[in-house]
Amino acid sequence: MAVVTPSRPHAPAALVPEVRDAPRSHRRLGLLAIVVSAAAMGTAGMFGRLAAPPGPVVGEALTLGRMLVGALGMLVVLAATRHLGRLRRTRVTPSVVLGGVLLGLSLATYLSSAVLVDLTLAVVLHYLGPVVATVLAVTVLKERVGPADVVSLVVAFAGMLLAAGLVGGTPRPVSDGHALGVGLGIASGVLYGGALLCYRYRTDMPSDVRSFWTFVFGAVGTGAMVAITRPDVSGMTATHWAWAGAFFLVCGVLALSLLVVAGKHLRAVELSSLSYLEVVVAVMVGAAVFGEAVSALAAAGVALVVASALLPVLTARAGRRPGSQARRGGTAAGAAPAWSPRPGRRRVGGQARVKVSGS
């Protein structure tokens, strides 16, 4: 007698992403991860200014260091937790490679854009990415976007425009490299949106392994950009390198690893709305560290971003109230119904098994 464990047929993980709603505990982890990641990413401008010497543009070099240190940091984590074997056992697929390359190129083009145009404009163009990711998730992954999701994303984007000072502000003079800076900023946003979409694929891959490969392939993409632009880092002093090291750890290892965790457990629209918290943190850091003035409109924008970030959490809680699942047929919205064994099967070790005759 042979014991056969039935399994569901499924398409290759590299081609079909897991788009079901995450369990409650996993979703909480995703929410916490994106909040901490956005807060850490919001300090990137501060660390970038303090790490860069006056004159030369070293954004690509800083991004490359950010990726290399991130890969090394995740390798240490994997070794400390005795998970190095996962690197050998886990299959690397095109979505993993593409996600890392797109993220590295996005961050590099963003920093280059910030040199050529106003930082606020560069931030706005970079944060076209979450909007692009949401549109792609609806069209490619067939994720369902409800009215509350649309309101949250629109409010977040409007609040970001206000917080960046692009609404109600006085026109600024245009530099010679303005057109190139705008082009790089748009490219940064599109690349960032593509990276966020890639995180929705291969949710079966452990987060520490996914983070490591994201950093590795991000370094490959950024390294190619550095080879072309060849930034001059000869003017960086020991103080600059110290700030660069802090930038690599906080905005690299911490922020980008948690972004991968969040992308695994949150839907694209939730990830998009909550990622705008980075703009809020950037405004607060600018006011506290560099004494930048915060107008009433900017403060209103910060409030809108916070409200939009809370909306997905509140609506999700409302959907988990007693009786809400019964009204949806006993399953969470978008989740597949639980598979149960048919008559004639018995449970062994928590799994349904059936006896069949065989050799």
Side-chain angles (χ1 to χ4, degrees):
M1 304 293 289
V3 178
V4 178
T5 303
S7 61
R8 291 180 177 176
H10 58 278
L15 300 178
V16 179
E18 177 63 66
V19 296
R20 292 180 298 173
D21 286 350
R24 184 174 181 179
S25 59
H26 292 174
R27 189 171 181 279
R28 285 180 175 177
L29 174 62
L31 291 172
L32 177 62
I34 189 59
V35 169
V36 177
S37 174
M41 293 280 281
T43 64
M46 178 191 71
F47 285 117
R49 287 186 184 182
L50 296 173
V57 178
V58 295
E60 296 87 350
L62 290 176
T63 303
L64 177 59
R66 186 181 189 178
M67 293 296 173
L68 291 175
V69 172
L72 180 60
M74 289 311 306
L75 194 62
V76 171
V77 170
L78 286 167
T81 56
R82 298 182 179 179
H83 289 166
L84 281 175
R86 291 181 175 181
L87 294 177
R88 183 182 66 258
R89 295 190 299 268
T90 304
R91 185 167 59 97
V92 177
T93 53
S95 62
V96 178
V97 177
L98 188 61
V101 171
L102 290 178
L103 181 64
L105 293 177
S106 171
L107 296 176
T109 51
Y110 163 63
L111 289 181
S112 298
S113 174
V115 174
L116 298 172
V117 300
D118 292 335
L119 180 59
T120 52
L121 179 57
V123 170
V124 169
L125 296 175
H126 179 69
Y127 271 91
L128 290 172
V131 180
V132 172
T134 300
V135 173
L136 291 176
V138 173
T139 56
V140 177
L141 306 186
K142 307 303 180 184
E143 287 191 0
R144 293 188 294 177
V145 178
D149 297 325
V150 175
V151 170
S152 176
L153 188 60
V154 171
V155 171
F157 189 74
M160 186 265 297
L161 291 175
L162 291 173
L166 294 186
V167 176
T170 57
R172 296 180 175 89
V174 176
S175 63
D176 294 336
H178 186 268
L180 177 59
V182 170
L184 289 172
I186 294 174
S188 170
V190 174
L191 292 168
Y192 186 42
L196 292 177
L197 180 72
C198 288
Y199 296 153
R200 297 297 293 153
Y201 289 78
R202 290 301 311 275
T203 55
D204 63 299
M205 182 177 285
S207 297
D208 48 4
V209 175
R210 183 65 182 266
S211 296
F212 171 77
W213 288 121
T214 296
F215 284 123
V216 168
F217 293 115
V220 171
T222 311
M225 194 172 183
V226 168
I228 296 173
T229 59
R230 296 186 178 182
D232 181 14
V233 297
S234 60
M236 294 183 65
T237 64
T239 302
H240 292 135
W241 282 112
W243 284 112
F247 172 70
F248 298 156
L249 293 175
V250 175
C251 302
V253 178
L254 178 65
L256 299 182
S257 297
L258 290 178
L259 182 62
V260 172
V261 174
K264 180 178 179 179
H265 298 303
L266 296 179
R267 294 180 299 128
V269 67
E270 296 172 322
L271 194 68
S272 299
S273 298
L274 291 167
S275 65
Y276 283 112
L277 287 172
E278 178 182 340
V279 181
V280 178
V281 175
V283 171
M284 296 173 62
V285 169
V289 178
F290 300 106
E292 298 178 355
V294 180
S295 65
L297 285 176
V302 169
L304 287 177
V305 173
V306 174
S308 70
L310 294 176
L311 185 59
V313 182
L314 298 177
T315 54
R317 286 185 176 181
R320 289 195 295 265
R321 288 175 182 171
S324 61
Q325 289 193 2
R327 290 192 297 270
R328 294 196 296 267
T331 58
W339 180 81
S340 59
R342 291 192 296 271
R345 303 189 180 197
R346 63 187 181 87
R347 287 199 169 271
V348 179
Q351 293 184 342
R353 299 191 175 185
V354 61
K355 290 184 177 180
V356 297
S357 59
S359 57

